[in-house]
Amino acid sequence: MFSHKVNDEIELRLIQQPHSAELFKVMDANRQHLRRWHPWIDNTRSYADVDRLITGWLQQLSNNRGFHAGIWYEGNLCGAINHLNIDWANRSTWLGYWLDESHQRRGIMTEACRAFVTHAFDTLKLNRVVIECASKNVRSRGVPERLGFSLEGVLRGVEWLHDHYADHAIYGLLKGEMTRVEKVRIEEVPHLAMVAA
């Protein structure tokens, strides 16, 4: 099973079925916090819902389209980071992430994203990484800004968030700009390999 120790406190692990109960507990405890920016939380009302999500994520991995990793801080699951979908034809990927409210402002997500970006460029040989988040989600926007991503624009009214449309800020980083991000090596993820062009 894939795991990567980012530093003495943070570890990334491939999310699999044995994690469903632990993952559900973190999601459920953060339901109101996550709901502000992530409408998908409303569809995770039980362990079975999370188990179905994980099944889909593992199918994504087997289809060579990316993977979902849990973020453990000092041995406790506190969030997740993932490829929304790797576009092999254009050598690009979109990163998604969320973090338990009590673990914010410790640099955890910035370090997890730094590791994912390094893996995308160095191991998967991608050319572009995109992070898209609600334009009013200041904490989420801080992650790509700290990692040297460029703000490429704002999509207006792109996501329905319960009772209103939200704008999204689009951040991009190209492989040639990798010097902006301190490199972190991630071991090869099982079954995820670069697809020939």
Side-chain angles (χ1 to χ4, degrees):
M1 181 174 82
F2 159 77
S3 67
H4 170 68
K5 195 169 179 64
V6 176
N7 57 36
D8 289 341
E9 300 171 320
I10 305 167
E11 184 178 4
L12 304 177
R13 301 180 202 161
L14 182 68
I15 296 178
Q16 297 181 318
Q17 258 76 24
H19 300 127
S20 62
E22 187 178 9
L23 186 60
F24 175 75
K25 287 177 185 174
V26 176
M27 289 177 168
D28 199 45
N30 284 272
R31 190 165 298 281
Q32 290 307 311
H33 164 67
L34 292 173
R35 193 173 191 275
R36 183 172 180 199
W37 306 114
H38 301 287
W40 53 259
I41 193 69
D42 287 348
N43 298 321
T44 57
R45 296 287 181 187
S46 68
Y47 296 116
D49 291 337
V50 174
D51 200 58
R52 279 190 292 275
L53 279 176
I54 294 172
T55 297
W57 298 342
L58 293 174
Q59 184 62 54
Q60 178 189 14
L61 173 61
S62 70
N63 290 341
N64 201 34
R65 303 299 288 195
F67 63 99
H68 285 63
I71 302 169
W72 274 261
Y73 181 79
E74 295 182 343
N76 298 307
L77 180 63
C78 65
I81 182 170
N82 60 281
H83 296 278
L84 297 176
N85 188 23
I86 294 178
D87 176 354
W88 289 108
N90 295 299
R91 302 277 191 231
S92 63
T93 190
W94 291 257
L95 297 187
Y97 48 81
W98 60 269
L99 192 64
D100 168 84
E101 188 171 22
S102 68
H103 286 84
Q104 293 190 350
R105 296 185 176 186
R106 300 185 194 187
I108 296 169
M109 191 55 73
T110 299
E111 294 310 309
C113 282
R114 187 190 317 276
F116 253 60
V117 168
T118 300
H119 180 261
F121 290 142
D122 290 354
T123 303
L124 301 181
K125 308 300 183 193
L126 300 180
N127 181 59
R128 175 174 161 82
V129 176
V130 177
I131 293 176
E132 180 177 339
C133 49
S135 61
K136 292 183 179 178
N137 189 343
V138 177
R139 287 187 185 171
S140 187
R141 290 184 67 168
V143 173
E145 290 170 359
R146 282 189 292 277
L147 292 175
F149 280 62
S150 296
L151 176 63
E152 297 179 340
V154 175
L155 300 178
R156 296 177 302 148
V158 71
E159 182 182 31
W160 179 251
L161 281 179
H162 315 295
D163 60 359
H164 69 283
Y165 285 100
D167 298 344
H168 277 194
I170 309 295
Y171 291 88
L173 186 72
L174 301 178
K175 183 175 176 63
E177 300 166 338
M178 184 61 188
T179 54
R180 299 181 190 176
V181 180
E182 180 186 339
K183 293 187 175 185
V184 177
R185 175 165 160 60
I186 295 183
E187 293 75 13
E188 189 65 40
V189 177
H191 306 107
L192 189 66
M194 184 177 70
V195 175

